[in-house]
Amino acid sequence: LILPYDDKAHREPVIGLWRDVFGYTTARNDPALSLSKKLETGDGLLFVAVEENHVIGTIMAGYDGHRGWLYALAVRSESRGRGIGAALVRRAESELAALGCLKINLQVVAKNGGVTGFYESLGYKVEPRISMGKSI
Ligand SMILES: CC(C)(COP(=O)(O)OP(=O)(O)OC[C@H]1O[C@@H](n2cnc3c(N)ncnc32)[C@H](O)[C@@H]1OP(=O)(O)O)[C@@H](O)C(=O)NCCC(=O)NCCS
């Protein structure tokens, strides 16, 4: 079951899942701060996969009027390989499409390059881009 994120019900389990899966170390990726900042946007583009009342996966999307972006795709390790990751991506895609989004981008950390096979199975292609970033 994929549901819109509900701060009351999902905050603690999502923070736990992101800590386990991503092991954030920098302040800008602090799970609690990320959740609060996403909620402040009010865009409704954060979703959780729930099974028997437990949060087992997440995906965050963003739409800036030009491109849609995917972030924070995570499925807890015990629940992988059952189509939950794919269902989360599809839900984010349909929500972005409903907003008029025509193209979705995502970034994969280089050392997690194996996950490109997962995205390729969902129709994504590795594109010749150099990704740049700056913390402000
Ligand atoms: C990536 C992740 C979300 C996949 O979740 P999942 O629930 O196991 O994925 P699914 O079961 O929906 O898999 C969908 C398809 O992708 C395939 N797949 C999954 N991981 C894959 C990988 N690393 N390489 C190639 N194919 C992969 C599955 O076999 C499945 O194919 P099928 O439909 O033909 O059987 C999960 O492994 C995860 O949380 N990883 C750690 C966090 C992470 O890397 N997130 C992405 C950051 S960019």
Side-chain angles (χ1 to χ4, degrees):
L1 185 60
I2 313 282
L3 299 173
Y5 172 82
D6 172 55
D7 201 48
K8 243 186 175 157
H10 303 141
R11 173 171 282 262
E12 287 315 313
V14 166
I15 288 172
L17 177 69
W18 287 358
R19 290 231 160 91
D20 289 348
V21 173
F22 300 119
Y24 289 134
T25 51
T26 57
R28 66 176 177 278
N29 283 330
D30 175 73
L33 186 64
S34 297
L35 283 172
S36 298
K37 287 185 172 293
K38 185 58 173 171
L39 293 182
E40 275 170 29
T41 72
D43 66 7
L45 292 175
L46 178 59
F47 301 93
V48 293
V50 175
E51 198 170 70
E52 290 169 3
N53 254 344
H54 293 294
V55 171
I56 59 171
T58 61
I59 194 163
M60 187 192 292
Y63 181 54
D64 55 24
H66 183 57
R67 297 288 182 248
W69 285 87
L70 299 184
Y71 306 97
L73 173 65
V75 173
R76 72 172 185 185
S77 50
E78 312 91 281
S79 304
R80 290 179 192 165
R82 291 170 33 211
I84 294 157
L88 283 160
V89 171
R90 291 206 184 93
R91 175 63 180 266
E93 288 174 348
S94 65
E95 299 281 341
L96 288 168
L99 294 172
C101 173
L102 300 176
K103 165 109 195 292
I104 299 175
N105 293 339
L106 62 92
Q107 294 179 317
V108 172
V109 175
K111 68 176 191 316
N112 191 26
V115 80
T116 53
F118 164 79
Y119 289 112
E120 280 166 349
S121 76
L122 294 171
Y124 291 77
K125 292 185 175 67
V126 176
E127 298 181 319
R129 303 280 188 275
I130 294 172
S131 177
M132 297 179 72
K134 177 183 178 182
S135 295
I136 55 169

